[in-house]
Amino acid sequence: MPLNSVNTNTGAMVALQSLNRTADELTATQKRISTGYRVSDAKDDGAAYAVAERVRGEIAATQSANEQLGGVKGLLDVTNASLTNVSDTLKTLKTIVVKLADGTITSDQKAQYQSQVKELTSNIKSFIQDANYNGQNILTPNSSTLTKTVVRNGAGDNYTFSAYAALTNIYNNISAANTWSATSAAAAVTNGGALTKAISNTLTQLNNFGSYSNYIDSQITYNKAKMDAQESGLGALVDADLAKESAKLQSLQIRQQLGTQALSIANSAPQSLLSLFR
């Protein structure tokens, strides 16, 4: 049978222990609701927290790599735009050079064609020189910067691509086109001719830089998908179920109220015993 004692209030001790446990659970639940995490620090679950921090580090590193790739994407897009304009201008230049190759044109016609050619070649040079992005131009590199590297993932692995000396390999072939004679103009449009070589080099580089750009786009897309997967796994590991925690909060608040009442009742029991001796 229960012990009725004025010295040891067993009922109050049990009620207080229960109330303290409820208070601890209530504190933990409130922490989960306020932070949104089931594991917000190492005290909640050391092993899960360590895994979460490692994954967060990987996500941050991958995000940093994507930022670098984004810069290279901008550089390659500008380069492709430049080469596209060069290619279009070379096509127009070819139509005029063909006319210069006609030995029957008059001196005035030749002068007019040469004037047009000079403007077109100047445009080509400008397109190449103006292909700048963030202070870089991979169409006008020096001999020591022909190879470019960019970090492609959070592990620090690199993607390497090649710059291209477009002034040397494209513009220099046609820079003097406005001075070509009919014979020189005819030779320029033959296989292996200066203009044909300039066009071929331009198209080859359009293909190369287009491939580089496609790789960068694919890597950025993959990195984003990887980060999404990591975020999902991280959420499953440390995120709190807010609906469940909210319901638990209400339950604990009721238990706390009842526990307080139970402790009050238990504390009044010795007073009832004492009243018997008055």
Side-chain angles (χ1 to χ4, degrees), residues 60-76:
T62 303
Q63 178 61 46
S64 180
N66 253 17
E67 291 170 2
Q68 299 304 112
L69 289 170
V72 172
K73 173 178 169 56
L75 178 61
L76 290 173

Side-chain angles (χ1 to χ4, degrees), residues 32-54:
R32 291 178 188 135
I33 291 175
S34 62
T35 64
Y37 291 116
R38 181 185 66 83
V39 181
S40 60
D41 53 47
K43 292 187 295 183
D44 294 329
D45 185 334
Y49 184 74
V51 172
E53 286 296 279
R54 185 178 295 109

Side-chain angles (χ1 to χ4, degrees), residues 19-264:
L19 185 60
N20 287 337
R21 284 195 299 270
T22 300
D24 289 341
E25 289 184 54
L26 188 58
T27 298
T29 300
Q30 288 173 328
K31 179 181 178 182
R32 291 178 188 135
I33 291 175
S34 62
T35 64
Y37 291 116
R38 181 185 66 83
V39 181
S40 60
D41 53 47
K43 292 187 295 183
D44 294 329
D45 185 334
Y49 184 74
V51 172
E53 286 296 279
R54 185 178 295 109
V55 174
R56 288 188 183 107
E58 292 173 355
I59 292 172
T62 303
Q63 178 61 46
S64 180
N66 253 17
E67 291 170 2
Q68 299 304 112
L69 289 170
V72 172
K73 173 178 169 56
L75 178 61
L76 290 173
D77 286 347
V78 168
T79 301
N80 280 318
S82 171
L83 288 176
T84 298
N85 279 277
V86 169
S87 178
D88 291 341
T89 306
L90 285 171
K91 286 187 291 185
T92 303
L93 179 62
K94 185 174 183 179
T95 64
I96 300 174
V97 169
V98 168
K99 294 175 181 178
L100 278 175
D102 184 358
T104 65
I105 61 174
T106 65
S107 296
D108 286 343
Q109 288 176 318
K110 181 179 180 181
Q112 291 173 0
Y113 291 147
Q114 287 176 330
S115 178
Q116 292 179 45
V117 166
K118 184 173 180 60
E119 290 301 317
L120 291 172
T121 55
S122 294
N123 283 344
I124 289 170
K125 185 176 183 180
S126 295
F127 293 147
I128 293 170
Q129 292 179 326
D130 293 346
N132 297 302
Y133 180 87
N134 194 27
Q136 294 190 70
N137 186 337
I138 52 178
L139 293 180
T140 59
N142 57 49
S143 58
S144 63
T145 59
L146 287 174
T147 300
K148 299 290 185 179
T149 60
V150 59
V151 174
R152 64 180 177 84
N153 59 29
D157 297 322
N158 289 328
Y159 172 65
T160 302
F161 62 97
S162 298
Y164 185 70
L167 288 176
T168 300
N169 296 298
I170 297 175
Y171 172 72
N172 286 354
N173 284 300
I174 48 87
S175 60
N178 64 302
T179 65
W180 286 344
S181 64
T183 301
S184 298
V189 296
T190 61
N191 288 334
L195 180 55
T196 301
K197 186 182 295 184
I199 292 173
S200 177
N201 288 347
T202 301
L203 295 177
T204 297
Q205 291 311 308
L206 272 171
N207 177 55
N208 289 341
F209 283 110
S211 297
Y212 302 154
S213 186
N214 285 335
Y215 178 90
I216 295 298
D217 286 341
S218 296
Q219 187 67 40
I220 289 174
T221 299
Y222 168 71
N223 284 348
K224 287 179 178 178
K226 180 180 178 181
M227 286 188 289
D228 288 344
Q230 289 174 315
E231 289 281 6
S232 178
L234 184 62
L237 179 65
V238 300
D239 284 358
D241 184 338
L242 292 182
K244 178 180 177 181
E245 297 298 335
S246 295
K248 186 175 182 181
L249 178 64
Q250 294 178 349
S251 173
L252 289 170
Q253 288 172 334
I254 294 172
R255 280 173 54 188
Q256 187 179 50
Q257 293 172 1
L258 294 175
T260 301
Q261 292 175 6
L263 179 60
S264 177

